Each structure stands twice: as C-alpha cells, then as structure tokens.
Amino acid sequence: MNKNDALLAYALRLGDNALILGQRMVELVAAYPELEEELANANFALDYIGQARMFYAYAGELEGKGRDEDDLALLRDENEYRNLLLIEQPNGHFGDSIAKLVLFEAFYLRQLEELVHCADKRIAEIAARAEKEIRYHLRHNTQWLIRLGDGTEESHARAQEAVDNLWRFTGEMFAADEVDNVFENEFDGPDLYRIREQWRETVAAVLEEATLAMPEDAWMASGGKAGRHSEHLGYMIAEMQYLQRAHPGASW
Amino acid sequence: MYTQGLDQKDKSAPKREQLETPEQLEAFQARIDAEEKIEAKDWMPEAYRRTLIRQISQHAHSEIIGMQPEGNWLTRAPTLKRKAILLAKIQDEAGHGLYLYSAGETLGVSRDQMVAGLLSGKAKYSSIFNYPTLTWADIGAIGWLVDGAAIMNQIPLCRCSYGPYARAMVRICKEESFHQRQGFDILRVLCAGTAGQKAMAQDALNRWWWPSLMMFGPNDADSKHSAQSMAWKIKRFSNDELRQKFVDVTVPQAEFLGLQVPDDDLVFDQESGHYRFGEIDWQEFIEVIKGNGPCNRQRLGKRRKAHDDGEWVREAARAYGEKQAAKAAA
Ligand SMILES: [Fe+2]
Ligand SMILES: [Fe+2]
C-alpha cells in the first residue's frame, strides 16, 4: 500500500468512527430523563458529527474524485465503512452507552494526542481540535461510569455487564493492519502497541475507582476496519442514507 | 401559545390568598402599571404567582416535548450539515426548557414538581407538538411556522412584568429567530429542488398551517385567562392580535416560496392592510388539547419511558453521592 492510499484510508476511518458513533448518539436525542444529560449527549454528538465532516472533507480532497462529505457519509455501501465494531453496537441502556464511550474514548483520546504530532498537517489540525472535545467527553463519561459502578447494587451489576459485553470489541482498536502500519511509518502516526499500554492503564484506573472488575482478555472480534461489520450497521446506514438514496442527485 | 391549554382549576385554594388585602393588591397593580419588574422576592398576589407557574411550566414542557417531533428526523437528516443544524436546534430547545424550569423555580415550585405534572398528564404543553413529522419538509415547516409563531408570542414576553421570565425570554428569542430562518431555508431549498421535493414542501405546509394558527390559543372571546393576564402585563397582546400578525407576516413568505396556503378564504384586505383568513377548526383544537391528537399518547409515553428508564441511574447517582459525602465526613 502506498503512502497516499494509506493516508486516504486513514482519514476515512477517522471519519467513519466519528460519524457512526455520532449517529448512535443522535438516536438517543429526546430520550434522556434529565435535561443536563440531554444537553451533554447532544453536545457530544455535535462534536462527533463535526469531526466526521472535517475528516470526510479532507478524505474527499485526497481522493480527488469530486466526492464531498455527504457523498462519503451517505452514499457508500455498508462494506465501505471502516469504523470499529465497538462503535456500531446498539445503544442498549444508559450504562451500555457510557461503557462504550469510555472504552472507545480512552483509546480515541490517545490516538488524537498522537495525531496532533503526525506528519500530515491537515490530520494534525483536525486532531488538535478534536482532542480538546474528546478530553472533555471522556472526563464526563468516566464520572458516570464511576457513579454507576460505585452506586447501587443494581447499577453496579448493569455497569459490569456492559463492560463485560463490550470487552470483546476492544481488541480491534489496537490490532494494527496495513493502513495503520503505513500511516505510522510514513506519517509518524500512532504506535498502537504503545497506545494499548496507555489505554489499559487508563481503563484499569477507571474500573478500579468504579469498583468494577477488568475483564480477562479473551477472544476479540474484528472486521470493522476491513469493512466486515455486524448486522447492526446495515440498519443504521439504511436509515441514515434514506433521503439521499430516495432522491438521487437532489440538493438539500 | 406554548401555554394555550384549557387548564385545570387549582383546587388547593391557598390560605395566603385569603389574607391578601385590597391595599396590597392595589399597590401591586400600581407597580405593574408603572412598568416595574416584579422580582422573585417581591410580594405578589397568589393568583399572579399561579398564573405564572402555569404559563412558565407549560412553556418549559413544550420545549421538551417539542424535541420529539424534530428528533424524529435527526437520524435521517439528508446531509451532515443539516443534521448538525437540527441537532444544535434541538439542543437549544433543551436549553430553553432548562432556563424556563429555572424561571419557574423562582416562584417556589421545583423542577421535579413541574415535571411530575407533565408526566401525570395534568400539565399541558403546546398542542402543535402532538402532530407527526412525516417528511423532511416538516422539519422546515416547524422551524418556519412553529418557531415563527413562538417568536410572535415571545417577543412581547420579553417585556413581561415578571423579571425572571422576561429575562429568560430575551435569551430564548434570539435563538428562536435562528431556528425560524433555518427552517425557512430548508423549505427554500426544497422549493427550488425537484418536483418531488417541492411537493413535499407543499404537503408540509398543508398539514402544519392550521395547527400553527391554533398555537395562539382560543379566540379572544373564548380565552378565559387573557383579560387578567393583560392587566398584569404578563400578556401584552391578545391571542387574535398575535394570530393576525403571524398571518400577515407569514403569507408573503409562503408566496415567496411559491407555496399555496391551504385556506380558500384567505384574502388581502386593502383597506385594513391585513389578511382575512378562514375559520379555524376549533373542534380539532379542543380534541388535541384533550389528548386526542395524532401523537399525544406517543409523546407523553416516550417522556414517561425516559423517566422510568432513568430511575436506576438516578438511584445510582444518589447512592454514589451519599457514599462520597460519608467518606468526606469520615
Ligand atoms: Fe425553544
Ligand atoms: Fe426553537
């Protein structure tokens, strides 16, 4: 894989992660019991949609075929999305959402911190902006995971179950493939092995404070980064793309 | 408007009200007449306080329930930019709910009490949000017509005699006018688009026009709270005056879009400079207020489910808070 192809693939992945997670959060709008959490979720979802737009716009330029953010976000087929499997998992209950966000954002924040110093200027610029946003999200979501874990017996059990269920999707974040390797070597990109160590430290500390057990690393699911998704993604994309597909070529 | 409900009687006739003297009431009215702002700590008649609690909490509930019809198109927004704009708008509405509950709390009711009134079905919210959003054009129609109607009503509320409410309204009005422009822009693009898109826009206007006119509440002759609210300067214009103003402003905008207002009796009266419009179907309005609109059950059901689903989370937060407090005390 050459340098340019890796850069394009990397930008698209970042866009896909941001969009698919943002879309999951959008599904929760108007369903929060407390206004403060409603506002936080909408705010965070807006950050992700904004990040997706920046990564896609750049990917479109790199590709050079005239595709804009919406062509990339809303007119690709399911197997062309390269987001992590963790991110496309359905929302479940509040504890499921929070656990998913903490597990992902503890990784994403490290990834962005590294990207701020990468050799590609545009990626570095977008990462610098996103990093500030995600740092704030992670702090907020971590506080919730701790409250749930160290709250009541019921909330503890629910939070533990959520972490246990999602754990098998965490390995994919650190499983470097060709895109990751070329991006690391050619653009001074993140070293996923090192990020994994940092991630484990962060997550272990959060789980400990939350009085939750860290699951054993066992079998890990993968495929999202290669376009092999769970059944959940197809429905999400069908809903998300509905108007673009139903009215080809229309402006909105 | 957001407080148009045919509301229920307050059965707990408060003792304080019986102790109010004519001198107190007169002095209060003199302050109102002098355009003084009434603040939370000031003396006020019980009926004034009750009216404001009812109005402010209904307004807050409307902001919250109003997130649902728009949220219905958030996952299907046609572009990322439209998705972001709609998300920001819905977030604003949640913020409006928050300011308004806070304004309500200055009158001695808690947010929990107000929310309990909503969940039990006792408190009302604007009838408009009991209509479904069936196409993307409905999102444009809501911004243009519903936020537009809200602005008509709320601009005078910025001068409401109750200070905390007036100040909340100043902030809210700024955001509502953004929403209105964004909604109009959605329709502008649809109307300049394909035949299918234009048909979608016309269909949305057909369905939202009359319910938007109903947002201003009953005709003046049938509006039981209006006279007192006007005297207290909670209200500055009557329902019919505001409705007329809305029609006058909105009809030319529909013409600009190339859309047909669904009213055969609509005609511009040169002499008065106003549009004359047809009779509103008040039976429909009453049914929607009574709970028989297309989405009443759905909207309230979703709010109740959110509340119930949050129970274990609230308990967890409470338990965690107690543990932390115990640790800090130890
Ligand atoms: Fe609002
Ligand atoms: Fe609004």
Side-chain angles (χ1 to χ4, degrees):
Chain A
M1 177 175 282
N2 73 34
K3 211 177 141 169
N4 292 340
D5 290 346
L7 178 59
L8 169 58
Y10 203 86
L12 267 176
R13 276 182 187 182
L14 289 166
D16 288 343
N17 278 345
L19 176 66
I20 299 301
L21 185 54
Q23 178 77 0
R24 277 284 180 240
M25 295 164 79
V26 155
E27 292 171 3
L28 295 172
V29 167
Y32 278 87
E34 308 295 335
L35 277 171
E36 287 77 1
E37 282 316 296
E38 183 73 57
L39 283 163
N41 175 66
N43 209 357
F44 295 169
L46 261 176
D47 288 341
Y48 276 114
I49 302 295
Q51 291 169 22
R53 294 180 65 191
M54 291 187 282
F55 286 126
Y56 283 140
Y58 184 40
E61 288 171 37
L62 288 169
E63 190 192 43
K65 291 182 182 163
R67 291 206 284 182
D68 66 14
E69 57 181 49
D70 292 319
D71 294 323
L72 292 171
L74 301 169
L75 285 170
R76 280 180 303 153
D77 288 335
E78 187 185 333
N79 61 8
E80 295 175 275
Y81 287 80
R82 297 300 150 97
N83 59 281
L84 298 163
L85 295 177
L86 174 65
I87 278 168
E88 70 198 43
Q89 297 309 304
N91 285 316
H93 57 60
F94 182 70
D96 293 322
S97 299
I98 289 292
K100 179 169 64 183
L101 288 170
V102 169
L103 293 174
F104 172 67
E105 287 175 340
F107 156 76
Y108 187 37
L109 179 61
R110 296 282 173 232
Q111 184 186 27
L112 291 169
E113 282 171 351
E114 296 294 317
L115 290 175
V116 168
H117 305 292
C118 81
D120 185 78
K121 246 188 139 169
R122 280 283 288 284
I123 297 275
E125 279 167 16
I126 301 169
R129 228 179 112 169
E131 184 209 324
K132 291 191 195 81
E133 296 168 348
I134 301 304
R135 191 178 303 281
Y136 181 74
H137 297 199
L138 181 59
R139 198 183 311 145
H140 180 94
N141 292 323
T142 297
Q143 284 309 313
W144 266 115
L145 189 58
I146 291 168
R147 264 178 248 161
L148 296 181
D150 194 17
T152 62
E153 218 171 285
E154 184 190 2
S155 71
H156 178 87
R158 282 176 182 256
Q160 185 68 60
E161 196 187 5
V163 171
D164 292 348
N165 281 337
L166 292 167
W167 198 256
R168 68 183 191 280
F169 298 111
T170 57
E172 189 187 14
M173 301 191 286
F174 311 105
D177 62 7
E178 207 187 347
V179 174
D180 292 311
N181 288 331
V182 176
F183 192 78
E184 183 188 346
N185 293 330
E186 299 288 340
F187 294 95
D188 207 4
D191 171 355
L192 288 179
Y193 184 81
R194 218 181 70 209
I195 289 191
R196 181 171 183 274
E197 297 306 305
Q198 296 170 326
W199 178 85
R200 282 190 70 90
E201 258 176 53
T202 307
V203 170
V206 172
L207 292 177
E208 195 190 323
E209 199 178 342
T211 71
L212 294 168
M214 187 145 166
E216 294 287 322
D217 273 344
W219 178 82
M220 289 290 175
S222 66
K225 282 159 108 172
R228 293 188 311 276
H229 292 279
S230 60
E231 289 179 350
H232 307 298
L233 187 69
Y235 288 95
M236 185 206 257
I237 285 177
E239 185 176 346
M240 188 168 74
Q241 297 188 341
Y242 153 66
L243 280 170
Q244 286 281 348
R245 297 286 189 190
H247 301 263
S251 300
W252 302 92
Chain B
M1 166 71 33
Y2 278 4
T3 54
Q4 77 219 129
L6 309 172
D7 49 272
Q8 55 291 315
K9 284 250 152 34
D10 188 342
K11 289 190 188 86
S12 57
K15 281 203 185 104
R16 270 183 292 182
E17 196 165 6
Q18 294 168 11
L19 299 174
E20 288 169 5
T21 64
E23 292 74 28
Q24 278 176 314
L25 292 172
E26 226 167 85
F28 179 78
Q29 190 61 48
R31 291 191 62 195
I32 299 274
D33 293 342
E35 297 286 336
E36 278 180 46
K37 284 275 177 276
I38 308 301
E39 295 299 333
K41 290 195 175 105
D42 297 349
W43 186 89
M44 64 186 83
E46 266 319 291
Y48 177 83
R49 183 192 304 274
R50 255 196 331 262
T51 298
L52 277 167
I53 290 174
R54 188 190 66 237
Q55 179 163 339
I56 294 171
S57 62
Q58 285 184 9
H59 192 163
H61 302 330
S62 302
E63 300 282 358
I64 302 310
I65 296 288
M67 297 167 69
Q68 288 185 37
E70 294 188 281
N72 187 40
W73 279 89
L74 205 39
T75 56
R76 293 176 290 173
T79 67
L80 294 187
K81 188 176 171 195
R82 293 285 182 204
K83 194 191 288 286
I85 290 172
L86 181 58
L87 183 50
K89 176 187 198 277
I90 296 174
Q91 189 189 20
D92 286 347
E93 307 302 3
H96 298 172
L98 205 56
Y99 313 149
L100 286 162
Y101 284 127
S102 303
E105 283 182 320
T106 64
L107 292 158
V109 281
S110 69
R111 198 209 299 185
D112 285 350
Q113 284 173 299
M114 290 184 266
V115 169
L118 172 67
L119 296 177
S120 73
K122 229 182 96 196
K124 301 293 180 198
Y125 56 85
S126 180
S127 59
I128 194 81
F129 300 121
N130 291 313
Y131 291 86
T133 49
L134 302 178
T135 72
W136 170 249
D138 290 23
I139 300 307
I142 288 187
W144 174 39
L145 300 174
V146 176
D147 287 85
I151 293 166
M152 276 304 157
N153 193 56
Q154 290 171 10
I155 285 187
L157 281 174
C158 297
R159 295 189 292 125
C160 162
S161 61
Y162 187 57
Y165 192 27
R167 288 190 289 273
M169 284 334 295
V170 171
R171 205 166 154 188
I172 289 172
C173 276
K174 275 190 203 138
E175 292 177 348
E176 300 296 12
S177 58
F178 268 118
H179 301 165
Q180 202 258 353
R181 266 177 277 162
Q182 287 157 352
F184 189 78
D185 189 64
I186 288 175
L187 291 175
R188 188 186 55 74
V189 172
L190 291 178
C191 288
T194 64
Q197 286 177 304
K198 184 150 190 202
M200 202 190 273
Q202 181 63 56
D203 173 59
L205 178 58
N206 293 348
R207 285 179 291 107
W208 289 92
W209 175 255
W210 290 106
S212 299
L213 297 191
M214 293 175 199
M215 284 178 71
F216 295 92
N219 284 332
D220 293 350
D222 305 318
S223 180
K224 58 179 183 180
H225 295 295
S226 279
Q228 182 60 74
S229 284
M230 300 269 271
W232 277 330
K233 297 193 177 166
I234 294 172
K235 242 177 128 114
R236 299 266 175 178
F237 298 98
S238 76
N239 294 352
D240 287 334
E241 283 170 329
L242 290 167
R243 190 168 11 244
Q244 183 65 55
K245 221 170 159 184
F246 175 74
V247 171
D248 288 342
V249 167
T250 310
V251 170
Q253 293 172 345
E255 281 166 6
F256 176 87
L257 290 172
L259 295 176
Q260 180 98 33
V261 174
D263 178 357
D264 292 337
D265 298 325
L266 185 76
V267 55
F268 187 70
D269 178 16
Q270 291 287 356
E271 217 165 285
S272 65
H274 293 297
Y275 284 91
R276 297 277 152 251
F277 53 95
E279 187 59 27
I280 289 168
D281 180 354
W282 291 112
Q283 195 51 43
E284 176 179 324
F285 174 71
I286 289 165
E287 289 301 330
V288 175
I289 293 283
K290 270 168 39 187
N292 298 323
C295 300
N296 296 58
R297 280 158 207 267
Q298 181 188 334
R299 301 282 185 249
L300 210 49
K302 180 162 178 171
R303 207 66 315 264
R304 286 187 186 133
K305 183 177 185 310
H307 185 81
D308 295 346
D309 288 351
E311 186 57 34
W312 70 275
V313 178
R314 285 190 292 278
E315 272 172 27
R318 208 175 303 132
Y320 177 79
E322 282 164 13
K323 284 184 205 177
Q324 292 305 107
K327 267 187 213 162

